[in-house]
Amino acid sequence: KIKMKKVAVKIGLELLIPINIIFLWILFKGIAENKISAITIGVIVMIFVNIIFFGIKYYFENEYLHIKSPFHNLKIDIQSITKIEKTSNLFSSPAPSIFGRVEVYYQNNSIVISPRNFDEFKNELLKMNPNIIVKE
């Protein structure tokens, strides 16, 4: 039987709003000056950014943590996770928020994500693998 549980993704308005404002400004400037290239760029980039932000999904399925984004699909065996810790690492990752980032260490890798509720995420992982080291 497949057991699946979604993990809510924290969408950082601190990133989403400024990016959209910049490209809205480009869009409106393009409309005001009747510049098709500015209108096109504004619309395309805003659509692209929003697809990236809202296209990120995390979920548990059986013994795996799935991390999906428009450009990245990862399936991590929860038994291979050694540590999770809150981080301020800003490297590119499927974490659409600056705040509330969590680094998940597994095998010889790590990935940064942004679950909306760290405690729920941590507790769900620990139910399946109580050996995970948690650093908050």
Side-chain angles (χ1 to χ4, degrees):
K1 184 181 179 206
I2 295 176
K3 200 172 55 171
M4 191 168 117
K5 179 175 176 137
K6 288 185 179 181
V7 177
V9 177
K10 182 175 188 170
I11 306 283
L13 297 179
E14 73 281 356
L15 290 172
L16 191 60
I17 291 172
I19 291 169
N20 276 311
I21 286 173
I22 290 167
F23 288 98
L24 267 174
W25 179 79
I26 290 170
L27 175 64
F28 288 130
K29 189 123 171 98
I31 291 169
E33 296 175 9
N34 203 21
K35 291 188 178 176
I36 298 299
S37 60
I39 295 168
T40 304
I41 290 170
V43 168
I44 289 172
V45 172
M46 284 178 57
I47 290 170
F48 181 72
V49 165
N50 284 283
I51 285 172
I52 290 171
F53 270 72
F54 293 102
I56 295 172
K57 308 282 182 230
Y58 316 135
Y59 61 94
F60 296 108
E61 184 178 60
N62 297 329
E63 295 295 314
Y64 293 93
L65 168 62
H66 292 263
I67 299 167
K68 295 192 174 265
S69 73
F71 307 107
H72 194 207
N73 289 324
L74 184 61
K75 181 178 173 181
I76 301 171
D77 182 340
I78 293 169
Q79 296 308 311
S80 74
I81 297 174
T82 56
K83 178 173 73 169
I84 61 169
E85 70 179 326
K86 290 184 177 180
T87 184
S88 56
N89 180 341
L90 294 178
F91 283 109
S92 178
S93 61
S97 177
I98 290 175
F99 307 108
R101 288 178 162 226
V102 176
E103 192 155 3
V104 177
Y105 296 86
Y106 62 99
Q107 294 161 342
N108 292 325
N109 295 305
S110 73
I111 189 163
V112 177
I113 62 173
S114 60
R116 186 178 301 153
N117 186 315
F118 177 77
D119 288 329
E120 280 181 24
F121 177 72
K122 167 190 77 174
N123 292 338
E124 196 64 35
L125 280 174
L126 289 172
K127 271 194 252 175
M128 294 181 265
N129 180 356
N131 298 318
I132 295 172
I133 297 166
V134 178
K135 292 192 176 182
E136 296 190 40

